[in-house]
């Protein structure tokens, strides 16, 4: 629309809005007395109350728990969970081979982002808590609980196996905006010179319910 047309339209709209449309501004002549009379200005409608501001949308984010127990029915795991740290030269591991550890610098299970739990695959005396971790399949359930019995349920999405010195960023890093769980144990071949396995097995799982 040309500038002049836009200006004319704006003026016309302003006139209508103020209740003056059709008024020439010239005094009116009375048909009975012949006297002139000034038209009374049309009433201007004004809002007495401002419309209420819309209610802000409530945003509920998933809440996490401090894990004290983990159950994985498909491989017969029902173990206590202790707190571990990533702050040292090497990540801590559980001192009890039948116990799982949660790295407290990662997310709490149920929060948006990855919560990371680790456990041993075996010990000098035999199998450990995560000996069958690599046997998990897509859809298998993992249940994490806190000291009060509150639970977060996850299902397995995929597994990965990587050299220990070459873990991909997604193991500890954020993926999508959802609560995730990672389970880590040793895997691959055993290096007798170092006394450690060469690889890590990682289970990736996502939250399905509380």
């Amino acid at each position: 629309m040309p500038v002049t047309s836009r200006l004319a339209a704006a003026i016309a709209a302003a006139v209508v809005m103020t209740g003056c449309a059709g008024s020439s501004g010239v005094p009116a002549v009375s048909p009975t007395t012949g006297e002139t009379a000034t038209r009374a200005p049309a009433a201007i409608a004004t809002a007495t109350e401002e419309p209420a501001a819309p209610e802000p949308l409530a945003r509920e984010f998933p809440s996490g728990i401090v894990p004290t127990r983990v159950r994985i029915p498909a491989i017969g795991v029902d173990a206590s969970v202790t707190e571990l740290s990533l702050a040292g030269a090497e990540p801590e591991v559980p001192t009890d081979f039948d116990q799982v550890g949660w790295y407290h610098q990662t997310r709490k299970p149920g929060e948006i982002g990855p919560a990371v739990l680790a456990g041993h695959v075996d010990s000098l005396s035999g199998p450990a808590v995560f000996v069958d971790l690599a046997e998990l399949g897509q859809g298998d359930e993992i249940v994490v609980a806190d000291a009060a019995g509150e639970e977060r349920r996850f299902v397995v999405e995929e597994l990965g196996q990587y050299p220990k010195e070459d873990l991909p960023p997604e193991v500890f890093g954020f993926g999508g905006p959802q609560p995730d769980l990672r389970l880590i144990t040793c895997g691959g071949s055993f290096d007798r010179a170092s006394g450690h396995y060469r690889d890590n097995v990682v289970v990736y799982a996502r939250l399905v319910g509380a």
Side-chain angles (χ1 to χ4, degrees):
M1 180 185 293
V3 174
T4 54
S5 299
R6 289 202 303 270
L7 181 59
I11 293 172
V15 169
V16 171
M17 289 175 63
T18 57
C20 297
S23 173
S24 64
V26 179
V29 179
S30 170
T32 56
T33 64
E35 297 178 352
T36 60
T38 304
R39 284 195 179 104
I44 300 175
T46 57
T48 57
E49 295 182 3
E50 293 186 0
E55 291 287 336
L57 294 176
R59 302 184 65 186
E60 294 186 4
F61 292 96
S63 60
I65 58 174
V66 175
T68 60
R69 195 150 204 91
V70 59
R71 300 193 309 275
I72 313 174
I75 56 174
V77 170
D78 186 354
S80 61
V81 178
T82 188
E83 191 173 293
L84 301 177
S85 178
L86 294 167
E90 293 186 2
E92 288 183 345
V93 293
T95 56
D96 185 336
F97 289 88
D98 292 324
Q99 195 172 47
V100 176
W102 165 60
Y103 292 111
H104 70 87
Q105 289 94 344
T106 66
R107 307 301 286 174
K108 295 176 183 176
E111 289 182 331
I112 292 176
V116 182
L117 277 64
H120 294 283
V121 67
D122 63 10
S123 67
L124 294 176
S125 60
V129 64
F130 276 172
V131 63
D132 293 322
L133 195 68
E135 303 302 315
L136 287 177
Q138 190 175 46
D140 285 339
E141 187 179 56
I142 303 165
V143 182
V144 182
D146 66 9
E150 188 173 348
E151 296 180 344
R152 296 293 182 271
R153 295 186 298 110
F154 298 81
V155 293
V156 175
E157 290 194 311
E158 60 179 311
L159 278 76
Q161 182 170 321
Y162 318 99
K164 287 191 173 182
E165 67 279 2
D166 196 24
L167 281 177
E170 59 264 26
V171 174
F172 287 92
F174 277 67
Q178 65 186 27
D180 292 320
L181 182 69
R182 316 273 197 260
L183 305 181
I184 302 178
T185 193
C186 294
S189 59
F190 187 77
D191 182 359
R192 294 189 178 277
S194 66
H196 297 288
Y197 286 89
R198 291 183 172 88
D199 293 347
N200 279 130
V201 172
V202 181
V203 172
Y204 299 85
R206 62 176 175 83
L207 184 75
V208 293

